[in-house]
Amino acid sequence: MTRSRLRPMCTAAAALLSTLLVGCSAESAEPASKQSPSPSTVSQPPAPAKVEVIASLTDCKPEIRIEADQLREGVCRTARGDWTVTTFPQEKFKETWLDAAAVYGGTYLVGPRWAIGAQPALLKKLRTEVGGELRKLSGTSG
């Protein structure tokens, strides 16, 4: 091929490539909330570890009842039911708290540095709002 015939082909290829690149970068720049959810997504990503933030995701304004170095706890009372939101400054404090709660048994909704205590049916509903995983603790009292 001669140089004069090659130039239009290269120009067309470059234009096509730049269109594809712009289209790809525009799509990936779109916020995740506007992208369609993946079919493998089961629940929301876990909420951040702050009582007021987690409670607000569930349309609740919590009443803070414990403020300590190792945890904060707020109580939510709504028409849907009552639940507690407990947050921890470090993951190790959450795990220690769950180990202690295991003596009494029950089911908790847990995420990074937080736990919610409520009736299991309510926890399933709250999970769609804040994420996390349900953790059933075995009781040893009785």
Side-chain angles (χ1 to χ4, degrees):
M1 280 196 174
T2 65
R3 196 172 232 186
S4 62
R5 294 178 90 190
L6 190 56
R7 182 168 287 173
M9 289 173 53
C10 288
T11 304
L16 178 61
L17 182 60
S18 68
T19 302
L20 289 173
L21 289 175
V22 169
C24 290
S25 64
E27 184 176 323
S28 61
E30 185 177 341
S33 63
K34 290 188 178 186
Q35 293 178 354
S36 58
S38 160
S40 63
T41 303
V42 174
S43 65
Q44 297 280 342
K50 185 167 182 186
V51 172
E52 293 82 359
V53 173
I54 295 168
S56 72
L57 292 171
T58 65
D59 292 327
C60 164
K61 183 170 179 174
E63 174 189 325
I64 302 298
R65 70 177 184 186
I66 298 175
E67 291 247 20
D69 291 339
Q70 297 168 347
L71 66 88
R72 284 185 80 226
E73 185 171 85
V75 178
C76 287
R77 290 185 173 86
T78 71
R80 297 193 296 172
D82 298 344
W83 62 92
T84 59
V85 178
T86 308
T87 61
F88 309 88
Q90 295 178 17
E91 190 70 14
K92 68 180 182 178
F93 295 126
K94 177 188 81 179
E95 293 303 324
T96 300
W97 184 85
L98 288 168
D99 287 344
V103 172
Y104 305 103
T107 301
Y108 293 86
L109 179 60
V110 297
R113 299 184 342 208
W114 57 264
I116 296 176
Q119 294 298 316
L122 180 55
L123 290 174
K124 288 178 184 177
K125 293 175 187 174
L126 295 174
R127 183 178 184 208
T128 64
E129 298 168 27
V130 299
E133 67 178 13
L134 294 171
R135 192 179 299 181
K136 185 169 176 65
L137 305 179
S138 59
T140 58
S141 62

